[in-house]
Amino acid sequence: MANPPARSNSFKKNKGKAAKQPIKKSDDPRLPVTLLSGFLGAGKTTLLSYILSSREHGLKIAIIVNDLSSLNIDAALIQNHKLTQSNEKLVQMQNGCICCTLREDLLEEVSKIAADGGIDYLLIESTGISEPMQVAETFTFEFAEQAAQMEAEGVEPGDVAQGKLAKLLAAGGLPKIARLDTCVTVVDAVNVLNDFETTDFITDRPAEAGNGEVDPQDERNVTDLLVDQLEFADVVLVNKTDVADKKTVEKVLKLIKTLNPRAKVIPTVHCRVELADIINTYSFSFEEAVTGAGWLQSLREMTPRVLANGSTKSVPKPETEEYGISNFVYRRRRPFHPERLWKLISDKFVVIQNAYEDMLEGINVSTENGDDEEEMSAPGDEEEVDEEAQPQLDPAARLTAKRADPALAPVFRSKGFCWLATRNTLFGEWSQSGVMFTLSGGQNWFVSQPEEMWADGDMKAVATIKADFKGDWGDRRQEIVFIGGGEKPMNKEALEATLDAALLNDEEWAAWEKVMKSKKLSDEQKEEKLHDLFADGFEDWLDPLNPPEGFNVEEGHEGHHHG
């Protein structure tokens, strides 16, 4: 297997001229693949057309185009391109989302192209509503194993691959015949910052689906999807830099680099890019893609380190501010008061929660008296939503309130984990993009589970876990990365003061500790007592170590709703 070339993480200047030297073919016998993601109008089709019309790469290229339309306009445009019509192979995938419902079709098409031979490279264009991680999973051994296992367990015909495709999955899936080389996300320099300030959900932008038929049950929002596409990318093309002003372009470049430090960020005009930056780069690593986001790197860079003498020392990365964009980590060893936290976020954000009952739909859960709970009511039986009683459901008002708040207005992105005073077994997964805010149950705090369950007994990992312990309450803490700036720089002190006001005050903290240290109360009684002390209106969280009977925490497509 060929050694991957060295990569640079700095901004790459591009004057619209492409590389003229042919790109070397891969020594790896598997079919190399570049995945293109981005919203409608960003320039994906322009990039495809440019690649296919270029004779400088010297490669025979196949493309898979998917825009969910019954009349695939993008595919028609490329087919009519005279320079490419006779030499490149085009596969049109219609009427389905490439990241979910068409993953089986994607497997089949890629395997056909690889088996037919005569192709040096494959380009896959996903739709604006596709999540690149979902497509990338198709190229993993884990996906092949799971699909093969589903077939072995007798899943309904049509739900998993049949015939030759089933044999491919059983033999190891796509990784045996193809490799994902590069994930490229294309953004529009003029509009990308506006998408961090939008209240739109996917259903508000049917054009992103090509045929205007977005599933009405798709609950994803535009800003979260944009962040997913940016944080997962190996290369981000910031297109239309000739239209946007210089200050905006610099701001966009810095923001993207902060969100995804490992990505190569390239400003372009008409998506003219050196093809060696997006073809045969050997850039993609699934592990790096899911762990390389800026917020996660910030947590690692500022996590306390264990020194050679056994002591710990916090080694924070110096805060930097460039073009008004900065980031910092909010850390505290005291829990949030649930009610005050709710008042803080529900006034400034559209709060999205995973309903515990929705996760249990179709499962009979026994109550304490042994009876089964009644089935959930049908959608038509639900009570009407009162937006005045629940102002967080008014996105426009929330955006206005966020923009008016001096501390929160500059925040583009925040992510991490939090600790609620009434929930001391699980940490909360905090994720905010623009005006959209999600808080859901995460994993168990390590202090709440037996040490023998930690890291499968890996003593080095156990030592790292223990380094996060402090005082009587172990690893419970607030640890949230904030990324922001723009017209006004992010004010760290003001933001910390805002969040600190939602923590338990000294009197409440003393009452909390008295309950938690009580030797007379059971864990259940402590939880009841804390709920009496601190009002908690958040949705229930599912404990992954103690799920309801009949519920498999590994199943489902959580956080990825296409209906």
Side-chain angles (χ1 to χ4, degrees):
M1 186 179 294
N3 293 323
R7 300 180 64 219
S8 170
N9 286 328
S10 59
F11 297 140
K12 189 175 182 68
K13 300 298 182 183
N14 191 297
K15 301 300 183 180
K17 297 180 180 179
K20 295 184 178 181
Q21 69 276 14
I23 297 175
K24 292 182 180 180
K25 296 181 181 180
S26 172
D27 293 333
D28 190 322
R30 297 176 298 168
L31 180 66
V33 180
T34 287
L35 171 66
L36 303 180
S37 301
F39 288 168
L40 182 69
K44 289 181 299 178
T45 302
T46 301
L47 176 60
L48 271 179
S49 183
Y50 166 63
I51 295 172
L52 294 177
S53 64
S54 172
R55 289 295 173 265
E56 295 169 0
H57 52 68
L59 301 174
K60 293 181 180 179
I61 295 178
I63 68 171
I64 293 177
V65 181
N66 178 353
D67 72 353
L68 291 172
S69 64
S70 56
L71 294 175
N72 200 320
I73 298 174
D74 284 355
L77 172 64
I78 297 171
Q79 279 183 317
N80 292 331
H81 202 303
K82 294 180 180 180
L83 293 176
T84 65
Q85 189 171 4
S86 61
N87 294 325
E88 272 77 29
K89 179 174 181 179
L90 178 67
V91 177
Q92 299 182 47
M93 300 179 68
Q94 302 178 358
N95 303 319
C97 176
I98 200 170
C99 70
C100 190
T101 60
L102 276 186
R103 288 208 289 187
E104 179 183 331
D105 289 350
L106 179 64
L107 272 166
E108 186 173 358
E109 294 296 348
V110 175
S111 62
K112 282 182 180 179
I113 293 171
D116 290 346
I119 295 297
D120 301 316
Y121 209 89
L122 173 63
L123 300 174
I124 298 176
E125 179 196 24
S126 61
T127 70
I129 64 174
S130 292
E131 298 170 29
M133 181 185 294
Q134 303 295 331
V135 184
E137 284 179 346
T138 313
F139 290 83
T140 64
F141 286 109
E142 291 78 7
F143 178 84
E145 291 173 355
Q146 184 180 29
Q149 182 180 358
M150 288 172 63
E151 183 182 29
E153 293 175 352
V155 178
E156 290 295 324
D159 289 348
V160 293
Q162 304 294 321
K164 292 182 179 179
L165 195 53
K167 293 180 180 179
L168 172 63
L169 290 171
L174 278 189
K176 288 290 186 178
I177 60 173
R179 64 175 181 86
L180 186 54
D181 178 84
T182 316
C183 284
V184 179
T185 294
V186 185
V187 298
D188 176 354
V190 178
N191 294 312
V192 66
L193 292 180
N194 294 332
D195 285 332
F196 276 95
E197 291 290 310
T198 185
T199 61
D200 286 355
F201 285 79
I202 298 302
T203 49
D204 297 318
R205 297 190 182 184
E208 292 290 352
N211 63 354
E213 295 182 5
V214 174
D215 191 322
Q217 295 183 6
D218 193 328
E219 299 173 354
R220 296 173 300 158
N221 63 78
V222 167
T223 310
D224 277 341
L225 180 56
L226 171 63
V227 170
D228 287 342
Q229 293 180 353
L230 290 173
E231 291 183 338
F232 198 79
D234 301 305
V235 178
V236 178
L237 303 185
V238 180
N239 196 31
K240 303 183 182 180
T241 55
D242 57 327
V243 181
D245 63 83
K246 183 178 179 181
K247 184 177 180 180
T248 298
V249 171
E250 290 175 340
K251 193 181 302 179
V252 169
L253 294 175
K254 177 57 181 175
L255 175 60
I256 294 174
K257 199 63 188 173
T258 305
L259 290 170
N260 186 351
R262 69 180 185 84
K264 180 180 287 187
V265 185
I266 307 174
T268 66
V269 175
H270 301 302
C271 281
R272 293 299 192 267
V273 61
E274 294 184 8
L275 297 184
D277 286 330
I278 61 174
I279 293 176
N280 267 340
T281 68
Y282 292 87
S283 299
F284 182 75
S285 161
F286 196 89
E287 182 179 359
E288 290 184 10
V290 298
T291 61
W295 70 270
L296 190 54
Q297 289 197 20
S298 293
L299 287 183
R300 289 172 173 170
E301 289 164 352
M302 301 183 69
T303 298
R305 304 296 185 187
V306 181
L307 304 181
N309 61 6
S311 62
T312 60
K313 181 179 180 181
S314 180
V315 187
K317 177 183 177 181
E319 291 177 35
T320 59
E321 183 172 321
E322 190 175 359
Y323 306 118
I325 304 296
S326 63
N327 64 296
F328 81 96
V329 182
Y330 175 79
R331 283 190 171 90
R332 295 293 186 270
R333 291 279 178 168
R334 187 175 290 198
F336 283 123
H337 189 300
E339 186 175 26
R340 286 204 295 274
L341 178 62
W342 173 253
K343 289 180 179 178
L344 169 64
I345 63 176
S346 64
D347 181 52
K348 309 297 190 300
F349 300 99
V350 177
V351 181
I352 303 168
Q353 300 183 77
N354 291 327
Y356 183 78
E357 291 82 1
D358 290 347
M359 300 173 69
L360 299 178
E361 187 173 5
I363 300 175
N364 290 327
V365 181
S366 297
T367 57
E368 291 182 0
N369 60 12
D371 296 330
D372 289 336
E373 293 182 352
E374 295 182 3
E375 294 182 1
M376 293 182 63
S377 58
D381 297 333
E382 294 176 357
E383 295 182 2
E384 293 184 4
V385 175
D386 183 354
E387 290 194 3
E388 292 186 4
Q390 300 186 58
Q392 72 277 9
L393 298 180
D394 183 351
R398 302 287 65 72
L399 181 57
T400 299
K402 178 179 181 294
R403 286 173 173 170
D405 188 283
L408 294 171
V411 178
F412 285 112
R413 174 75 162 141
S414 63
K415 191 170 177 69
F417 48 90
C418 64
W419 173 21
L420 300 188
T422 50
R423 308 186 185 207
N424 299 291
T425 302
L426 308 178
F427 61 76
E429 292 186 346
W430 171 304
S431 182
Q432 169 259 328
S433 301
V435 75
M436 302 298 176
F437 185 102
T438 302
L439 184 62
S440 56
Q443 300 297 314
N444 297 72
W445 293 110
F446 284 105
V447 72
S448 69
Q449 53 183 294
E451 186 172 330
E452 55 268 20
M453 295 180 64
W454 300 358
D456 296 325
D458 183 333
M459 298 312 296
K460 186 176 181 180
V462 169
T464 302
I465 291 170
K466 287 185 175 180
D468 286 327
F469 279 51
K470 183 178 180 181
D472 295 327
W473 310 115
D475 57 330
R476 299 184 181 103
R477 63 196 187 280
Q478 319 292 351
E479 201 158 278
I480 309 165
V481 179
F482 287 84
I483 299 171
E487 295 183 3
K488 294 183 179 180
M490 191 165 57
N491 188 325
K492 176 184 175 182
E493 290 72 23
L495 193 50
E496 286 181 325
T498 297
L499 294 169
D500 286 347
L503 298 173
L504 298 188
N505 59 36
D506 290 345
E507 182 179 349
E508 293 165 338
W509 178 235
W512 182 92
E513 286 196 302
K514 182 178 180 180
V515 172
M516 290 295 290
K517 290 181 178 180
S518 173
K519 296 181 179 180
K520 297 180 179 180
L521 300 176
S522 65
D523 290 342
E524 291 77 11
Q525 290 172 325
K526 289 178 181 179
E527 184 174 345
E528 291 176 2
K529 186 69 173 177
L530 291 175
H531 275 272
D532 290 338
L533 288 172
F534 312 111
D536 183 346
F538 287 98
E539 294 282 358
D540 290 337
W541 295 347
L542 180 68
D543 186 344
L545 294 184
N546 297 284
E549 185 177 354
F551 184 86
N552 185 349
V553 294
E554 298 298 328
E555 292 180 353
H557 203 31
E558 190 175 342
H560 184 68
H561 305 290
H562 291 253

